[in-house]
Amino acid sequence: MRSNISFEVIDTKTFTMISQIALIAAVAVVASASVHVPVHHHASQPYKFGYSVKDKHGEQHREEAGDGHAVRGSYGFSDARGIHRQVNYVADHAGFRAQVKTNEPGTANQNPAAVHLISDAPYGHGGYAGNAGLGYAGVVTAPVVAAAPVRYTNVVEAPVRYADVAAP
């Protein structure tokens, strides 16, 4: 079986021109791959947002603001049974700190890590039967765990300014 492959001989001038085009293309690819676009850091802009939603099940909300040095905010909920939680937080050069105010059954006053938990739940660590079977009878409680503050380097801060979180 014979193959019908044919080769065309090109002259030296054409070969040189094709080689130069290939070389220029390769140089262009290498040059464009090494172009470094500098990252421009702009001054932080203050911001503020919030929302509140109320329906037949209860209410939930969140507010947050930043000034370039700290972020302060809060979020929370209350349900139709009167259970509520309010979290106030600050995130700044000293880390993240939160204060939780709740009457959720199974909670008790405690201050783990950088979280301050204030509870006025009935029966501290026990169950709560509630009214008409809407409570938390037989709930097994777990300890609240919070991470230790984390330090970051080379972080661009978002702007925030707040009054200090009120002490309990």
Side-chain angles (χ1 to χ4, degrees):
M1 178 175 204
R2 291 188 64 171
S3 172
N4 290 333
I5 298 175
S6 65
F7 295 95
E8 190 173 321
V9 177
I10 59 173
D11 62 8
T12 306
K13 187 175 179 183
T14 304
F15 179 76
T16 304
M17 187 171 65
I18 292 172
S19 299
Q20 288 174 345
I21 291 172
L23 180 62
I24 291 171
V27 169
V29 168
V30 170
S32 67
S34 66
V35 171
H36 175 66
V37 177
V39 176
H40 298 284
H41 295 284
H42 300 283
S44 300
Q45 297 294 315
Y47 72 94
K48 183 176 183 179
F49 72 88
Y51 66 85
S52 180
V53 177
K54 294 181 183 181
D55 62 17
K56 67 181 181 179
H57 302 291
E59 180 267 340
Q60 57 182 315
H61 62 275
R62 180 167 182 196
E63 294 180 354
E64 183 176 289
D67 69 1
H69 301 290
V71 173
R72 295 181 186 267
S74 65
Y75 60 90
F77 77 92
S78 60
D79 67 16
R81 299 169 292 177
I83 303 297
H84 63 85
R85 178 187 312 146
Q86 173 72 29
V87 179
N88 299 311
Y89 60 90
V90 176
D92 59 15
H93 67 282
F96 179 82
R97 298 170 309 283
Q99 181 184 64
V100 181
K101 292 183 180 182
T102 186
N103 69 345
E104 294 172 273
T107 60
N109 293 337
Q110 51 184 304
N111 192 10
V115 176
H116 188 74
L117 180 62
I118 302 166
S119 174
D120 49 343
Y123 313 145
H125 295 286
Y128 172 54
N131 294 327
L134 298 176
Y136 297 87
V139 169
V140 177
T141 61
V144 175
V145 178
V150 177
R151 295 193 188 273
Y152 295 96
T153 59
N154 300 325
V155 174
V156 177
E157 297 178 344
V160 174
R161 176 162 293 195
Y162 275 97
D164 290 331
V165 174

